[in-house]
Amino acid sequence: MNNINNQGKKIISFHGPLTISLLSFVGNYLKLVINTDQVLASRLYKIFIELTQNVSYYSAEVKEIEKGIKSGVGWFLLNEHGKHFEFTTGNLIKIEDGYKLDRNCNEINSLNEEELRILKRKTRGEAKIRDIGAHIGLIQTGLLSGHPLDFKVSEINSKHSYFTISVRLDK
Amino acid sequence: MENLVIKEVQDSPYYPSINFNAESGICEIAGESYMEETFKFYSPLIDWITKYTNEVKRPLTLNFKLTYFNTNSSRLILDMLDIVKKYQDDGGRVSVNWYYDPEDPDMIDEIQDFEMETDVKINLIEFS
């Protein structure tokens, strides 16, 4: 969490295994504490779930929560600024996933809203039923945010990279 | 054919409630959907609709009352709509209704995307 923008008012942050119970609790907490209009609160909630579930599913760092139940480890941070919210997640990834994420995020950032919706439909239609992948969640995040995804893939060693993604949501 | 009922559990709001009625053909999915094992949850729903359209062959109504679903869930909803579309093309009577909050413009985009992907007519109904 060292290289991120810490300006603004911190609403909530967490580092550890992102279990479904935790995400559900925090997501519903955000609905209550975000003092803003319903559309914005709804978008923030949706972005929160999509990005944190990507960490939970695809983090290369995994912790066994209970016997046989594992969850991806990473962190999230929600900051409130004067005219926008900023939501950021970070997690370890396999180095090969970093190349895909870099390609996918750059593609998302190059498209307008209508093009993103076309890409979303195409990606969903082609996705495997059992594993839809992180790509469509990032497309949806881009659609909800209306801003480019601010992401960084940093190689750590020959096997792993570190992925951070920050999303802006205007008030 | 038996009904398929999954009640809402307060401690697990990431599972929607399910009420599929084999007698009336009315199937309702309500609440939020962002569980971890999406395929495991939706697989019995898809099997139920497949069996209904293959064996019961009476009119089928799908009532979606989902206030939120993640992208993983959307993939399985798409599968359900594809089955319904095939049933319709084979002469089955189908009605798909999506209840939505007018304060959630993104949901209308989602529904339009489902219509474009499946070619199934989805009736928009505001939550009362």
Side-chain angles (χ1 to χ4, degrees):
Chain A
M1 256 193 264
N2 296 329
N3 60 344
I4 57 160
N5 179 5
N6 271 317
Q7 292 178 342
K9 177 182 152 196
K10 186 194 282 187
I11 305 282
I12 193 165
S13 66
F14 176 84
H15 188 177
L18 300 190
T19 65
I20 184 70
S21 300
L22 174 86
L23 302 185
S24 177
F25 177 81
V26 175
N28 284 292
Y29 167 78
L30 290 177
K31 281 185 195 170
L32 294 175
V33 298
I34 299 298
N35 186 21
T36 184
D37 72 89
Q38 195 181 327
V39 173
L40 180 57
S42 167
R43 285 181 179 157
L44 198 55
Y45 174 72
K46 292 169 184 175
I47 287 171
F48 171 81
I49 296 290
E50 287 293 344
L51 290 186
T52 53
Q53 284 197 315
N54 274 354
V55 175
S56 180
Y57 297 157
Y58 302 112
S59 176
E61 184 183 358
V62 173
K63 186 170 183 180
E64 189 166 26
I65 308 303
E66 295 172 41
K67 198 176 180 184
I69 299 175
K70 294 176 180 176
S71 189
V73 173
W75 57 266
F76 62 78
L77 168 67
L78 176 64
N79 275 338
E80 181 175 9
H81 300 263
K83 294 184 177 177
H84 70 276
F85 289 95
E86 184 178 42
F87 184 67
T88 309
T89 64
N91 60 287
L92 198 67
I93 54 173
K94 292 178 192 166
I95 201 158
E96 59 269 28
D97 289 344
Y99 305 137
K100 276 190 280 185
L101 280 166
D102 188 73
R103 192 172 59 239
N104 290 341
C105 289
N106 278 318
E107 181 186 26
I108 290 164
N109 287 347
S110 73
L111 301 177
N112 64 32
E113 184 184 347
E114 192 49 44
E115 289 167 335
L116 276 177
R117 282 183 70 178
I118 292 168
L119 178 64
K120 179 183 158 185
R121 292 194 294 268
K122 179 175 179 282
T123 305
R124 181 160 60 192
E126 292 171 351
K128 292 175 186 170
I129 294 171
R130 286 173 185 269
D131 184 12
I132 194 169
H135 191 191
I136 191 168
L138 294 173
I139 299 169
Q140 182 68 5
T141 299
L143 276 167
L144 291 166
S145 160
H147 286 281
L149 307 173
D150 183 6
F151 70 99
K152 190 173 181 184
V153 179
S154 309
E155 285 190 15
I156 292 176
N157 54 40
S158 60
K159 290 183 178 175
H160 292 109
S161 293
Y162 204 86
F163 178 62
T164 56
I165 182 165
S166 194
V167 177
R168 178 185 171 127
L169 201 56
D170 290 336
K171 290 184 179 175
Chain B
M1 186 173 174
E2 293 191 357
N3 298 337
L4 177 63
V5 178
I6 302 171
K7 290 187 176 168
E8 189 180 340
V9 179
Q10 203 171 5
D11 289 343
S12 311
Y14 33 89
Y15 291 109
S17 65
I18 305 297
N19 193 345
F20 286 9
N21 189 301
E23 189 64 33
S24 66
I26 297 173
C27 303
E28 181 174 295
I29 305 176
E32 297 195 340
S33 177
Y34 57 100
M35 70 292 295
E36 282 180 311
E37 294 179 303
T38 319
F39 180 77
K40 193 175 172 183
F41 180 82
Y42 276 90
S43 187
L45 278 61
I46 289 168
D47 290 346
W48 192 98
I49 293 173
T50 303
K51 191 175 178 185
Y52 184 92
T53 55
N54 286 336
E55 296 178 9
V56 180
K57 296 184 176 178
R58 285 201 294 265
L60 178 69
T61 300
L62 287 187
N63 289 330
F64 288 96
K65 296 182 177 178
L66 288 169
T67 51
Y68 171 64
F69 52 88
N70 65 0
T71 47
N72 275 9
S73 300
S74 77
R75 179 64 183 84
L76 278 301
I77 292 168
L78 189 65
D79 266 28
M80 291 166 67
L81 293 172
D82 281 339
I83 296 165
V84 162
K85 171 63 179 167
K86 186 177 179 302
Y87 184 50
Q88 199 169 40
D89 288 347
D90 292 343
R93 284 175 56 196
V94 170
S95 179
V96 181
N97 304 308
W98 201 297
Y99 293 77
Y100 73 102
D101 180 351
E103 299 282 320
D104 184 1
D106 303 317
M107 184 60 83
I108 296 171
D109 288 346
E110 295 274 13
I111 299 163
Q112 286 172 346
D113 283 341
F114 280 133
E115 277 193 312
M116 291 179 78
E117 283 175 272
T118 61
D119 208 21
V120 171
K121 167 73 180 151
I122 302 176
N123 305 307
L124 291 169
I125 302 171
E126 282 190 23
F127 273 120
S128 53

